[in-house]
């Protein structure tokens, strides 16, 4: 059956046919016909954010908590430009997002019309792909293709720019089944020759390590399951990037903790000393490698990635395998089992003994003493009191983010949403809104810094309006803490503009938004405050005043190799050379 | 994906055959990129090069299949082997890109460029220009009493050489198409 309908109706129909349940958006002149269609139906819920950046981060949170694409609807001009930071964030973290933007009518494009922006031009570099739809006949096909591109291969954000006259005009709707198949079909199966080479290396390895990343989570729950099986049956140690936390359980016996700039001593040392590194869905990011020329100098390296451009981009690898993580892991297991499940058990035993020695360093040690709350202590108490809940964690960006990654335990994928690649302050609150939309009955906590939180605090209004009981756990050090830490270590303690001055009273702010505000500054009251936050049936802002000058350790200073990690306050003076200071 | 359709010598079925060097020797490569001829596709390719700091020495583009709406972009670029591999992989990621061929490693290829050169002058210089044009098999496509426009086809080096010779003879304007290239044989 062919159906004639307006472009606006087509958009809503296409979203329904793509299984979309929630759209995060903000109306304006160039999308009024679409909003009119949204008004006249009940299948798709629209969440009115307070800023378009918030819409994209919310959609990211939703996508990461569900493994489904997040959908965003914004108007032309400022609506689209406001979305750019969020879109870039999704690109850097490979999150599938479909953004629909309104555009001035086709006959006005290029005339500097009211609220005209070259949205396709502006977002070309921050989307996986984008389209300007110039006639209604191609609209539904383009939307289906957009969902395909966003979710296939390495996921990412896409944008469809839709002029207003295209929304008004009528044409025939094409359902997804009838849409023409896309030529964009990245292969998912890895090369068997390369997989066999990896299995051979695994059989011989004396000091192997799995280094896993967000690609495992993006590949879906099967990938995490297969990863667990592979780790348990080989007994190899495993570490993960910030993006990959939860793929292997934080309570698993082979878990070394997160690696990288603020990763655990044992994880970084094992990466440095290993003789076989198996990178699964990570990308040798500079937060991981430190000084590239000194990165794990004596290891053979394998790299499993769905994106060929990730291979040999930063670090030369010996065994590249291009494919989807789940498919490749399945084949690795198959080959390894068929060849008799061999590992060098004796060498593994001494490798583990070495790792146990590194663990004894106890790199996350801190002292909770005196009247002020140490941020690490606050997160540890949060972990203790929420561990048994059905829990999702978002973060902002800064020291608190790193402490959250270090001290919280993730036993499952899709439970941890943080801005990794772009490091976007203001990500966490809107992301928590998106996660809570996906999981209305779960405990959704945003571990925040006060400065980041202020960047998108307007989204508290969204949480209140849609009764989303998100918990904003603000570690308030009255500082741009991570900036302050770098200034202390790199810039002679000249604290240029790294104070959070004139901060609002967060309790009053909560009241003004119509939610609950709690303030705590005494370690003795911390547990009660956290319990109250959990128990309250609605959104909460918990202002947790913490030690102002705490630094986040371990830290690999920029431009240094893994084994030059800083462990505590005493060792930090003059730790970073001039060449490191130019790095970010 | 298209990056994986690259013929032998490059990233064939997996990247397992990638050239393993992280050498810092600069190489010139000629890449042929077959794309959907849709709005913005050239901007995507150029944006990739500028955004990631790659070189473009020459770039040509035209539709080669009107019914299939395919264009062929020929890019001459220089970089270390690792950068060249990155460029190919990054090109392969662009959604409307169908094929990426590295003509420099995929076997012998022919490369041609067309140029128009305006040479103004009178007397001996004018005669000499015409004589040299003949040796280079350049055609006269426009002439006045005081000027010629020559059309010349050949490798970029041949065109460079011709332009160098014309300079003292009154070369006043040059227009070049950039390189078009095809692999030899089947
Ligand atoms: C949008 C944006 N602007 C600037 C930065 C640089 N930056 C990184 S961390 C940070 C300080 C964050 O302060 P806060 O949110 O209070 O967290 P803390 O480090 O104190 O825990 C800044 C300014 C950034 N990451 N994002
Ligand atoms: Mg702070």
């Amino acid at each position: 059956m062919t159906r004639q309908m307006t472009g606006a109706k087509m958009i809503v129909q296409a979203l329904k046919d793509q299984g979309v349940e929630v759209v995060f958006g903000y109306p304006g002149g160039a999308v009024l016909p679409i909003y009119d269609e949204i008004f006249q139906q009940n299948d798709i819920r629209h969440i009115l954010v307070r800023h378009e950046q918030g819409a994209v981060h919310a959609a990211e949170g939703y996508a990461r908590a569900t493994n489904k694409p997040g959908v965003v609807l914004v108007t032309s001009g400022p609506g689209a430009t406001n979305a750019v930071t969020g879109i870039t964030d999704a690109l850097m973290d490979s999150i599938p997002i479909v953004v629909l933007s309104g555009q001035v009518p086709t006959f006005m494009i290029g005339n500097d019309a009211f609220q005209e922006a070259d949205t396709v031009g502006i977002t070309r570099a921050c989307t996986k792909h984008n389209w300007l739809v110039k006639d209604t006949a191609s609209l539904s096909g383009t939307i289906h293709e957009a969902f395909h591109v966003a979710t296939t291969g390495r996921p990412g954000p896409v944008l469809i720019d839709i002029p207003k006259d295209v929304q008004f005009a009528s044409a025939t709707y094409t359902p997804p089944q009838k849409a023409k198949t896309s030529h964009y079909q990245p292969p998912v199966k890895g090369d068997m020759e390369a997989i066999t080479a990896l299995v051979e290396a695994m059989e011989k390895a004396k000091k192997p390590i799995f280094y896993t990343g967000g690609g495992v989570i993006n590949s879906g729950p099967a990938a995490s399951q297969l990863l667990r099986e592979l780790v348990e049956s080989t007994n190899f140690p495993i570490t993960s990037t910030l993006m990959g936390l939860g793929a292997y359980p934080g309570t698993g016996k082979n878990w070394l903790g997160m690696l990288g700039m603020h990763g655990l001593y044992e994880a970084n040392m094992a990466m440095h000393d290993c003789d076989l590194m198996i990178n699964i869905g990570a990308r040798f990011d500079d937060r991981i490698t430190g000084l590239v020329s000194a990165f794990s100098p004596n290891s053979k390296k394998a790299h499993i990635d769905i994106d060929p451009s990730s291979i040999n981009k930063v670090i030369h690898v010996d065994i590249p395998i291009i494919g989807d993580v789940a498919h490749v892991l399945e084949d690795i297991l198959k080959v390894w089992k068929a060849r008799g499940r061999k590992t060098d058990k004796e060498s593994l035993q001494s490798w583990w003994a070495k790792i146990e020695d590194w663990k004894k360093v106890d790199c996350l040690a801190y002292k909770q003493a005196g009247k002020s709350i140490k941020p690490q202590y606050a997160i540890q108490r949060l972990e203790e009191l929420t561990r048994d809940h059905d829990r999702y964690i978002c973060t902002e960006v800064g020291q608190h983010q790193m402490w959250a990654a270090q001290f919280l335990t993730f036993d499952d994928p899709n439970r941890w949403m943080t801005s990794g690649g772009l490091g976007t302050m203001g990500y966490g609150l809107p992301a928590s809104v998106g996660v809570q939309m996906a999981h209305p009955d779960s405990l959704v906590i945003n571990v925040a810094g006060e400065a980041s939180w202020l960047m998108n605090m307007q989204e508290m209004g969204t949480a209140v309006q849609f009764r989303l009981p998100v918990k904003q756990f603000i570690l308030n050090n009255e500082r741009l803490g991570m900036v302050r830490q770098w200034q202390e270590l790199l810039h002679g303690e000249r604290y240029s503009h790294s104070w959070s001055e004139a901060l609002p009273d967060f309790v009053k702010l909560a009241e003004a938004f119509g939610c609950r505000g709690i303030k705590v500054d005494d370690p003795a009251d911390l547990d009660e405050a956290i319990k109250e936050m959990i128990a309250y049936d609605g959104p909460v802002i918990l202002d947790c005043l913490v030690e102002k000058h705490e630094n986040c350790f371990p830290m690999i200073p920029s431009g240094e190799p893994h084994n030059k990690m800083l462990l505590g306050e005493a060792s930090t003076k003059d730790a970073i050379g001039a060449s490191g200071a130019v790095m970010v | 994906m298209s990056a994986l359709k690259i013929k032998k010598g490059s990233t064939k079925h997996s990247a397992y055959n990638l050239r393993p060097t992280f050498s810092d020797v600069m190489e010139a490569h000629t890449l042929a990129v077959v794309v959907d001829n849709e709005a913005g596709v050239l901007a995507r390719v150029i944006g990739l090069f500028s955004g990631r700091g790659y070189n473009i020495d020459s770039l040509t583009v035209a539709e080669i299949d009107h019914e299939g709406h395919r264009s062929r972009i020929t890019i001459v670029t220089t970089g270390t082997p690792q950068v060249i591999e990155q460029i190919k992989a990054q090109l392969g990621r662009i959604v409307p890109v169908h094929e990426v061929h590295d003509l420099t490693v995929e076997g012998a290829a022919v490369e041609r460029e067309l140029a128009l050169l305006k040479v103004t002058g009178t007397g001996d210089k004018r005669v000499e220009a015409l004589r040299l044009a003949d040796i280079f098999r350049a055609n006269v496509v426009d002439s006045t009493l005081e000027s010629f426009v020559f059309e010349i086809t050949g490798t970029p080096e041949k065109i460079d050489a011709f332009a160098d010779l014309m300079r003292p003879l009154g070369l006043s304007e040059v227009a070049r198409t950039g390189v078009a290239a095809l692999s030899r044989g089947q």
Side-chain angles (χ1 to χ4, degrees):
Chain A
M1 188 186 75
T2 60
R3 278 190 289 167
Q4 287 285 119
M5 59 179 85
T6 65
K9 203 177 185 72
M10 222 178 243
I11 291 165
V12 173
Q13 187 61 47
L15 294 181
K16 280 183 200 170
D17 288 349
Q18 287 291 341
V20 174
E21 290 166 5
V22 189
V23 171
F24 300 91
Y26 209 91
V31 285
L32 284 176
I34 307 173
Y35 272 86
D36 202 32
E37 289 300 332
I38 288 176
F39 187 82
Q40 300 176 49
Q41 56 85 49
N42 285 316
D43 296 330
I44 295 174
R45 267 196 91 184
H46 178 274
I47 303 300
L48 179 72
V49 295
R50 299 300 186 262
H51 185 293
E52 289 86 350
Q53 184 190 349
V56 185
H57 292 324
E60 285 185 275
Y62 180 90
R64 290 177 68 166
T66 58
N67 269 340
K68 294 201 293 194
V71 181
V72 174
L73 175 57
V74 297
T75 194
S76 65
T81 56
N82 269 349
V84 165
T85 301
I87 298 172
T88 311
D89 191 88
L91 184 75
M92 290 291 274
D93 284 346
S94 307
I95 310 302
I97 300 290
V98 177
V99 182
L100 306 165
S101 56
Q103 181 56 278
V104 302
T106 47
F107 52 86
M108 291 180 82
I109 288 178
N111 284 341
D112 298 323
F114 178 63
Q115 296 197 327
E116 177 180 359
D118 176 7
T119 302
V120 166
I122 290 168
T123 60
R124 195 172 284 131
C126 65
T127 51
K128 187 173 168 187
H129 196 59
N130 61 16
W131 297 262
L132 170 65
V133 179
K134 285 191 175 159
D135 66 290
T136 310
S138 60
L139 180 56
S140 44
T142 305
I143 297 174
H144 301 317
E145 170 77 358
F147 275 87
H148 171 75
V149 170
T151 54
T152 308
R154 180 176 181 171
V158 298
L159 178 140
I160 313 169
D161 204 24
I162 311 168
K164 198 171 179 182
D165 54 335
V166 173
Q167 300 169 30
F168 273 124
S170 287
T172 308
Y173 175 75
T174 316
Q177 309 77 21
K178 294 249 175 73
K180 95 175 190 315
T181 45
S182 170
H183 86 90
Y184 180 74
Q185 306 288 354
V188 291
K189 292 282 276 183
D191 183 64
M192 285 315 283
E193 203 184 327
I195 287 172
T196 309
L198 170 57
V199 171
E200 274 168 24
M202 285 166 58
E203 291 168 348
K204 288 193 214 113
K206 296 187 180 333
K207 299 184 287 180
I209 187 167
F210 288 116
Y211 148 46
T212 59
V216 184
I217 305 206
N218 273 340
S219 177
S224 293
Q225 272 317 315
L226 290 159
L227 176 69
R228 289 161 191 222
E229 188 186 341
L230 188 63
V231 172
E232 302 317 330
S233 44
T234 57
N235 194 31
F236 290 178
I238 175 168
T239 179
S240 160
T241 66
L242 183 74
M243 290 298 294
L245 297 177
Y248 182 81
T251 50
K253 77 174 175 32
N254 292 36
W255 178 237
L256 303 189
M258 180 177 78
L259 83 160
M261 184 176 264
H262 293 288
L264 271 70
Y265 183 74
E266 48 270 37
N268 285 331
M269 290 305 282
M271 285 286 282
H272 187 268
D273 279 16
C274 67
D275 70 351
L276 175 65
M277 177 185 298
I278 306 165
N279 173 342
I280 309 177
R283 58 183 176 93
F284 296 108
D285 177 79
D286 56 70
R287 301 295 93 162
I288 299 306
T289 59
L291 181 65
V292 165
S293 57
F295 176 70
S296 192
N298 303 313
S299 59
K300 190 169 207 172
K301 297 175 187 75
H303 187 182
I304 302 167
D305 203 303
I306 194 144
D307 178 359
S309 78
S310 289
I311 307 281
N312 284 345
K313 182 172 67 180
V314 181
I315 298 289
H316 166 66
V317 293
D318 307 277
I319 309 174
I321 302 172
I322 295 170
D324 168 59
V325 168
H327 285 83
V328 173
L329 287 182
E330 196 177 1
D331 284 338
I332 291 174
L333 271 163
K334 221 179 275 169
V335 174
W336 182 70
K337 285 177 186 167
R339 289 168 58 105
R341 300 166 171 265
K342 281 176 281 191
T343 56
D344 182 345
K345 295 206 175 56
E346 223 166 279
S347 302
L348 270 179
Q349 215 162 27
S350 37
W351 179 224
W352 273 111
K354 200 164 179 187
I355 290 171
E356 289 308 325
D357 279 346
W358 287 324
K359 283 188 179 174
K360 285 188 196 121
V361 168
D362 195 11
C363 66
L364 296 182
Y366 68 93
K367 273 198 210 79
Q368 172 60 52
K371 280 306 265 178
S372 67
I373 302 173
K374 286 269 188 178
Q376 301 95 318
Y377 178 71
I379 298 204
Q380 235 170 1
R381 293 315 302 157
L382 182 72
E383 165 75 3
E384 209 56 50
L385 296 168
T386 61
R387 172 180 287 163
D388 298 331
H389 286 70
D390 171 20
R391 180 186 80 178
Y392 292 83
I393 302 281
C394 302
T395 77
E396 302 287 346
V397 170
Q399 292 178 315
H400 63 278
Q401 176 189 28
M402 292 299 118
W403 282 314
Q406 292 172 341
F407 288 93
L408 296 175
T409 308
F410 299 95
D411 279 342
D412 292 298
N414 307 100
R415 298 268 171 175
W416 165 247
M417 337 286 147
T418 194
S419 172
L422 197 63
T424 312
M425 292 171 68
Y427 169 87
L429 166 49
S432 71
V433 165
V435 174
Q436 192 83 74
M437 267 310 294
H439 303 288
D441 301 323
S442 305
L443 176 62
V444 180
I445 302 168
N446 176 32
V447 176
E450 81 295 338
S452 297
W453 194 83
L454 289 176
M455 282 208 178
N456 271 325
M457 68 165 189
Q458 76 284 348
E459 299 307 330
M460 222 46 216
T462 312
V464 172
Q465 178 184 345
F466 293 92
R467 300 175 197 279
L468 301 169
V470 292
K471 314 298 180 189
Q472 304 302 314
F473 188 70
I474 302 178
L475 293 180
N476 184 352
N477 52 11
E478 299 175 6
R479 297 289 180 280
L480 314 185
M482 192 56 96
V483 172
R484 193 208 59 76
Q485 174 166 347
W486 281 58
Q487 289 172 336
E488 180 184 329
L489 301 180
L490 280 127
H491 294 274
E493 301 178 51
R494 291 181 295 281
Y495 298 121
S496 182
H497 298 271
S498 54
W499 270 277
S500 289
E501 255 179 278
L503 280 171
D505 178 329
F506 285 99
V507 174
K508 282 192 186 149
L509 191 64
E511 282 163 15
F513 272 116
C515 60
R516 171 70 67 93
I518 306 168
K519 178 173 177 164
V520 60
D521 58 4
D522 186 333
D525 301 332
L526 181 61
D527 278 22
E528 267 323 299
I530 293 174
K531 285 182 194 158
E532 188 187 341
M533 174 185 86
I534 300 167
Y536 182 71
D537 184 17
V540 178
I541 301 172
L542 174 61
D543 181 17
C544 180
L545 289 158
V546 296
E547 173 70 45
K548 300 183 200 315
H549 298 131
E550 190 69 12
N551 281 335
C552 182
F553 292 114
M555 175 177 182
I556 303 175
S558 289
E560 296 285 358
H562 273 171
N563 56 352
K564 293 269 176 68
M565 222 169 312
L566 307 179
L567 285 169
E569 314 270 21
S571 54
T572 60
K573 293 271 179 289
D574 302 317
I576 300 175
S579 60
V582 303
M583 313 205 30
V584 289
Chain B
M1 176 142 79
S2 37
L4 300 177
K5 285 194 207 137
I6 294 170
K7 279 191 202 149
K8 203 160 166 46
S10 188
T11 59
K12 217 183 162 181
H13 297 294
S14 77
Y16 196 46
N17 303 320
L18 281 180
R19 291 178 302 156
T21 38
F22 261 25
S23 133
D24 46 14
V25 179
M26 299 289 275
E27 298 176 354
H29 282 240
T30 304
L31 309 179
V33 188
V34 178
V35 300
D36 284 323
N37 184 16
E38 60 180 40
V41 66
L42 188 59
R44 274 176 224 286
V45 170
I46 292 172
L48 170 70
F49 277 74
S50 64
R52 294 185 184 263
Y54 306 142
N55 299 310
I56 298 181
D57 299 334
S58 161
L59 183 141
T60 60
V61 54
E63 193 166 74
I64 51 162
D65 172 0
H66 297 299
E67 265 157 45
H69 297 291
R70 295 288 168 83
S71 290
R72 181 171 171 121
I73 303 176
T74 309
I75 305 169
V76 182
T77 180
T78 41
T80 62
Q82 182 230 351
V83 167
I84 300 285
E85 293 305 326
Q86 258 301 298
I87 291 173
K88 290 188 273 183
Q90 293 289 354
L91 285 168
R93 293 172 83 193
I94 297 177
V95 172
V97 167
H98 287 255
E99 293 168 44
V100 180
H101 294 284
D102 184 342
L103 298 176
T104 306
V105 299
E106 286 178 20
V110 281
E111 296 190 3
R112 289 293 180 270
E113 186 176 3
L114 183 145
L116 298 174
L117 297 92
K118 185 177 287 177
V119 179
T120 51
T122 53
D124 285 352
K125 287 190 172 170
R126 185 173 161 84
V127 176
E128 181 64 4
L130 203 57
R131 198 181 69 82
L132 287 169
D134 195 40
I135 294 171
F136 275 78
R137 298 207 186 106
N139 299 321
V140 176
V141 290
D142 177 66
S143 85
T144 67
L145 291 177
E146 285 166 7
S147 70
F148 289 120
V149 174
F150 295 115
E151 173 203 304
I152 180 170
T153 319
T155 63
E157 294 74 27
K158 176 179 167 183
I159 293 170
D160 285 345
F162 185 62
D164 285 347
L165 287 171
M166 288 299 124
R167 206 153 283 126
L169 302 177
L171 181 68
S172 63
E173 258 185 277
V174 185
R176 298 174 67 150
T177 58
V179 171
L182 281 182
S183 60
R184 286 181 188 273
Q186 301 189 339

